Amino acid sequence: MCSRKNIQMFRGEVSRGDRESLNAHRAAVFWFTGLSGSGKSTIAHGVEKRLFDRSMRAYVFDGDNVRHGLCGDLSFSPAARTENIRRIAEVCRLFIENGTVCMCAFISPLEKYRQMAREIVGEADFYEVFVSCSLEVCEERDEKGYYKLAREGKIKNYTGISAPYEIPENPDLIVETDKESLEESVARVEEFILAKVTS
Ligand SMILES: Nc1ncnc2c1ncn2[C@@H]1O[C@H](COP(=O)(O)OP(=O)(O)OP(=O)(O)O)[C@@H](O)[C@H]1O
Ligand SMILES: [Mg+2]
């Protein structure tokens, strides 16, 4: 977490707790990690819709979307990937103060990225969701056509092909999208989130 000397935080009259009471649920961050094509975006947006239909405040931060705006200036170098995650985690902290259930759909391939996000958000509000899917199945899906390009060497540093993916050691939830249907995965994540923010 970055704090600045000589800049004092202004405390408003409406607290996080006030907002959580109004929403009738707590705020938290659910950080989805997994290979490209594993299903992070599809599941997160599916759950978002279901939470919205329950009148809950939920929002998905999606890797591709933020790279158009907030992180549009960043490359895929190790330093830029770190900065990408740092910015998202800091935005999540603000959204948590706003009482929102945040779902973050980023490959976040290395343990150090996920650890940094956890530290910025704070242990108590952070849950890691491992969207597990074999590289073989992700490659078959090849949603974006990038695996093919990576195999041909036309995209460098592609996670799973020419850049590492570190399997999370201790995730809070695992969904296996090469073994269960989309509906099952969405239902399991929804149930997990409801247990953390409403019970
Ligand atoms: N159980 C499942 N859960 C999620 N997605 C599934 C499941 N079974 C099949 N799919 C399919 O897998 C694909 C997952 O693509 P998606 O864009 O969500 O991946 P992603 O992890 O967000 O990838 P990227 O990191 O490139 O953004 C979709 O076409 C989805 O319909
Ligand atoms: Mg995605």
Side-chain angles (χ1 to χ4, degrees):
M1 191 193 312
C2 172
S3 57
R4 298 269 302 269
K5 249 183 168 177
N6 305 326
I7 301 182
Q8 287 194 10
M9 297 278 269
F10 190 96
R11 296 250 166 254
E13 285 183 47
V14 184
S15 71
R16 167 181 172 178
D18 294 335
R19 294 179 208 274
E20 290 179 324
S21 296
L22 183 70
N23 294 343
H25 62 78
R26 287 186 294 283
V29 172
F30 298 86
W31 194 279
F32 294 58
T33 172
L35 290 171
S36 176
S38 58
K40 301 176 298 297
S41 297
T42 310
I43 296 172
H45 286 280
V47 173
E48 180 187 55
K49 172 71 172 111
R50 289 170 75 148
L51 298 183
F52 180 85
D53 289 345
R54 290 175 178 269
S55 304
M56 293 172 64
R57 308 285 185 271
Y59 191 76
V60 176
F61 294 90
D62 199 293
D64 292 332
N65 299 357
V66 302
R67 280 195 176 270
H68 283 284
L70 180 67
C71 301
D73 57 324
L74 301 177
S75 70
F76 288 86
S77 71
R81 281 179 191 256
T82 301
E83 176 59 10
N84 188 44
I85 300 293
R86 189 193 71 79
R87 285 186 201 175
I88 303 312
E90 287 290 352
V91 175
C92 282
R93 276 181 71 211
L94 300 175
F95 269 62
I96 284 215
E97 282 305 307
N98 188 42
T100 306
V101 172
C102 304
M103 286 172 281
C104 298
F106 299 87
I107 296 174
S108 24
L110 304 183
E111 184 57 35
K112 66 175 184 182
Y113 299 139
R114 303 184 294 253
Q115 187 53 32
M116 180 179 67
R118 184 184 288 274
E119 277 166 22
I120 291 172
V121 168
E123 182 76 33
D125 295 321
F126 189 94
Y127 300 94
E128 189 174 87
V129 178
F130 175 31
V131 182
S132 169
C133 186
S134 69
L135 177 64
E136 201 183 6
V137 171
C138 291
E139 228 178 321
E140 251 167 51
R141 290 178 183 164
D142 208 3
E143 281 292 307
K144 301 169 178 167
Y146 292 165
Y147 278 106
K148 185 171 179 294
L149 294 176
R151 285 283 182 205
E152 291 167 0
K154 291 178 183 155
I155 301 179
K156 306 270 178 244
N157 297 323
Y158 200 75
T159 303
I161 305 292
S162 42
Y165 179 80
E166 293 174 357
I167 292 175
E169 278 177 19
N170 212 2
D172 298 286
L173 177 70
I174 304 176
V175 282
E176 296 180 295
T177 70
D178 48 3
K179 298 197 177 90
E180 57 198 40
S181 70
L182 173 58
E183 292 67 32
E184 282 170 328
S185 299
V186 168
R188 288 187 54 223
V189 173
E190 182 192 21
E191 191 186 336
F192 178 78
I193 292 180
L194 289 176
K196 297 300 179 198
V197 302
T198 63
S199 60

